[in-house]
Amino acid sequence: MRLFREPSITLEGVAVRSVAADALELEVDIRVENPNLVGVTIRDLPFAVFCRSGGDNVRLATGNAGQVKIRGKGSTTLAVPVSAHSAGILGAVAAFIASGGVDLEVRGTASIDCIVACPAVPFSKTIRLSSGDLTKAFAGRAGDRDHSRDGSR
């Protein structure tokens, strides 16, 4: 019997909050589930957001959910705002226009504090954002998102 099981880290969704010529504001929702009887502390939860542009993965933004305590047998969803200020934004917007959507991949690693060991728990997921998501952001309604659009692979 194992005394400690790694928490489960999953990407729940990515929403476009706003779009400008030089910036893209996103909200990344990360779910953390603790299967253990005792609470755990996520010491650090850095991640990067990538988009497919011209056959390459372009890093749009980075974020960090920071330190989070999860009670035993508990879970929480963290809404982490991130801003992209890079040349990759133009490629993401071009992909939206050309194909009616874009694939965003979020990759990160959670560092766990615990008594026995401090494991690193990686996570990665790709979500398809549609041109409707971008239209909502332009119209200022990005908060009206629907997580059921998750087209993960």
Side-chain angles (χ1 to χ4, degrees), residues 7-11 28-33 41-48 62-68 70 76-78 80 82 106-112 121-123:
S8 170
I9 315 289
T10 56
L11 179 66
V28 177
D29 292 338
I30 300 170
R31 183 167 190 75
V32 182
E33 295 183 57
T41 299
I42 307 292
R43 180 174 9 112
D44 199 24
L45 206 157
F47 61 89
T62 58
N64 194 330
Q67 188 176 60
V68 181
I70 312 295
T76 189
T77 299
L78 310 166
V80 185
V82 294
V106 178
R107 292 190 302 239
T109 304
S111 299
I112 313 296
V121 180
F123 64 97

Side-chain angles (χ1 to χ4, degrees), residues 51-129:
C51 118
R52 196 93 172 129
S53 178
D56 296 320
N57 274 334
V58 176
R59 186 170 68 183
L60 292 179
T62 58
N64 194 330
Q67 188 176 60
V68 181
K69 294 182 184 210
I70 312 295
R71 72 181 190 285
K73 296 290 186 184
S75 67
T76 189
T77 299
L78 310 166
V80 185
V82 294
S83 298
H85 300 276
S86 71
I89 295 169
L90 296 177
V93 172
F96 267 112
I97 294 167
S99 67
V102 68
D103 290 331
L104 294 181
E105 181 183 10
V106 178
R107 292 190 302 239
T109 304
S111 299
I112 313 296
D113 272 342
C114 62
I115 297 168
V116 179
C118 295
V121 180
F123 64 97
S124 177
K125 188 171 183 180
T126 300
I127 289 183
R128 178 96 177 149
L129 294 181

